[in-house]
Each structure stands twice: as structure tokens, then as C-alpha cells.
Amino acid sequence: MTQPVGSAAAARPIVAANWKMNGMRRDGRDLAQGLARLKLAGGELACDIIVCPPVTLLFELRDVLQAAAIALGGQDCHDAEKGAHTGDISARMLVDCGCHHVILGHSERRANHGETSETVARKAATALEAGLNVILCVGESEADRDTGNALDVVGDQLKISLPVQGSTKDIVIAYEPVWAIGTGRIPNAAQIGKMHRHIREIYKATKSGDVNGLRVLYGGSVNAENASDILSIEGVDGALVGGASLSAEKFWGICAHYGE
Ligand code: PEP
């Protein structure tokens, strides 16, 4: 039987799709079915695949994804277990819909909803408590990069966003430079490699634990054409993909890097 994502196969690379606020029910079904077909026909990959659709599609897509051993994730959750939080979704609700994962601290949440790293840490603690694996996003702005502050900014974000709970088994970091998201611009290989090494050091210092097995994904304008170059950089353990994940073929083209 295929190992479910987020289980003991903890150190496998991950390719995760963030559909953001895209997809009516029919589009979502078509996209998930297309991806499931490609996965079932494509043979074994040396990575786990996670799809994070809008919350309206989670339950609807659960079975078709599960049948292809593609894991389901949410794009956010609240830091409270339940209660008077109109419009919000709890970690346990995500679990109830079949999710094993949740993206937290995405730069669009930080920018559009004023989420601080302290909030992200609280959300991560609640998500872990509910049994979810956390994909924790960090990344610098273009101004931070231009002024030479990228390492410090990302390091500080990570230190504060990491919850006390959790380990490399259930926390994955996604390095997503804000200026690279949806822009077609990407840092060069040296910049990505340096940041991923820095993230490992900060993780180790903050959690004072074993950093072996920590997966650090890269996110920001990854597509089927540039995937192999990016995913071959030392210290890059997969990708978080936005735009290119809205096409089953394009997303599969990224996952296929981990094929035979
Ligand atoms: C994202 O939003 O997490 C992302 C990486 O987007 P894109 O791939 O479109 O840059």
C-alpha cells in the first residue's frame, strides 16, 4: 500500500500545490481528476504530492486525490480550536475534511490579513495539536533582498513563527521570496542554496533539535521548465507551487522531476 503523506516516510521531498482562491467545483474536480490520472499512469515518484485547494473543494476532492495517493491540505486555519470566529476555519475542520496538511504564514496571508509571525506560531501549534502537518512559509520582500537583509528577515520570521511543539516529522518550511511569487522572477541558485542552509541553521538553533530530515521547499514561480534546475539545488527538498499548479499537466511536469 502506498505510504500516506506525512507518515513515517518523513524525509521524502514534497511537491505541494497551492491553488489559492481559484476553482469553481467543476474546475476543481477536473483539475484533481486530471492530476490523479497522471499520477496513476505515471508510476512511482520519489516525492510526496500535496494539493491545497480552496476550502470549498476540500471534501469534494478528498476521495479522488486519496485514490491516487495525493494528500490534501488546507491553505490556512485559525489559531483557536473553535468558537466565535465568523468566516474562519479550524484545524480540526480541515482534518474532518480529510486534510493531513496546512499551509501557514503564506505571504499573502501576512500581507492581506496582517498575520504576524506570532500569529503563525499560534496557528502552527493548534494545527499540530489537531494532527496536521504544517507547511510554514517564510520569505523576504524585494526591498529586504535589495538592502542585503534577506537572511536576517527570513531568519527572524522563522524564529518567531516556529511553534514550540512539532519536529521535522510534522513541520516543513517553505522558502518563498515575496518578490518571486507569481512574477516569473526567481533568485539564482546560489541565493536559494544560501537561504536554505540559513533556514536549517535557524531551525536547529530555535528548536535545538535534530535538523536531519527537515524539508525546506522552495516556492516562487516554479514551473515545469525551471523545476529541474531549482529542485536540483542542494538543500532544496521540493517545491510549493502556485500558478503552475492550476494545470494538471504543468504541475505534473514539476512532480516528474522526481520520476525515474
Ligand atoms: C505561492 O503562492 O505559494 C507560489 C509559489 O506561487 P507561484 O508559484 O505562482 O509563484
Side-chain angles (χ1 to χ4, degrees):
M1 201 183 121
T2 313
Q3 190 82 52
V5 179
S7 69
R12 274 160 67 88
I14 290 172
V15 182
N18 175 11
W19 290 4
K20 309 192 186 196
M21 198 172 70
N22 292 295
M24 296 295 127
R25 290 173 63 210
R26 173 184 287 241
D27 309 324
R29 266 199 314 271
D30 289 349
L31 183 49
Q33 280 165 356
L35 185 57
R37 265 196 302 273
L38 288 167
K39 171 90 176 1
L40 290 169
E44 274 304 303
L45 292 182
C47 72
D48 292 327
I49 301 179
I50 303 170
V51 168
C52 304
V55 89
T56 47
L57 294 174
L58 287 172
F59 189 63
E60 179 137 3
L61 302 187
R62 183 188 67 166
D63 291 349
V64 66
L65 293 173
Q66 202 172 59
I70 296 171
L72 190 63
Q75 298 176 12
D76 179 51
C77 68
H78 200 275
D79 64 355
E81 242 181 76
K82 61 178 182 175
H85 303 288
T86 304
D88 283 311
I89 302 292
S90 77
R92 288 184 57 214
M93 288 170 180
L94 294 180
V95 173
D96 195 39
C97 285
C99 290
H100 288 98
H101 305 267
V102 62
I103 299 171
L104 293 175
H106 192 282
S107 62
E108 287 155 16
R109 300 282 323 168
R110 292 179 189 261
N112 301 345
H113 298 267
E115 271 186 23
T116 63
S117 292
E118 286 83 357
T119 314
V120 175
R122 282 198 304 277
K123 288 184 174 202
T126 307
L128 291 166
E129 175 67 29
L132 291 168
N133 299 301
V134 170
I135 302 172
L136 199 164
C137 301
V138 290
E140 82 282 2
S141 67
E142 186 157 27
D144 297 328
R145 173 64 61 185
D146 289 347
T147 50
N149 291 323
L151 290 175
D152 286 346
V153 166
V154 170
D156 287 347
Q157 267 181 12
L158 183 59
K159 268 183 230 160
I160 302 169
S161 302
L162 276 170
V164 174
Q165 302 82 345
S167 71
T168 58
K169 286 194 174 55
D170 45 23
I171 298 175
V172 173
I173 310 300
Y175 167 52
E176 298 210 304
V178 179
W179 53 274
I181 294 180
T183 61
R185 297 163 57 212
I186 48 173
N188 63 41
Q191 289 170 327
I192 294 175
K194 190 169 178 182
M195 186 61 85
H196 281 227
R197 279 195 298 282
H198 183 61
I199 285 172
R200 272 171 219 287
E201 281 163 20
I202 297 291
Y203 181 97
K204 189 169 185 184
T206 309
K207 300 280 287 175
S208 61
D210 187 8
V211 80
N212 289 332
L214 176 67
R215 283 153 304 170
V216 185
L217 315 185
Y218 169 79
S221 296
V222 178
N223 58 41
E225 287 71 45
N226 62 25
S228 272
D229 287 343
I230 295 171
L231 296 171
S232 301
I233 299 169
E234 199 178 332
V236 173
D237 307 303
L240 179 54
V241 184
S245 73
L246 297 176
S247 148
E249 287 74 21
K250 288 181 184 166
F251 184 64
W252 181 253
I254 298 168
C255 302
H257 170 77
Y258 293 107
E260 289 159 336

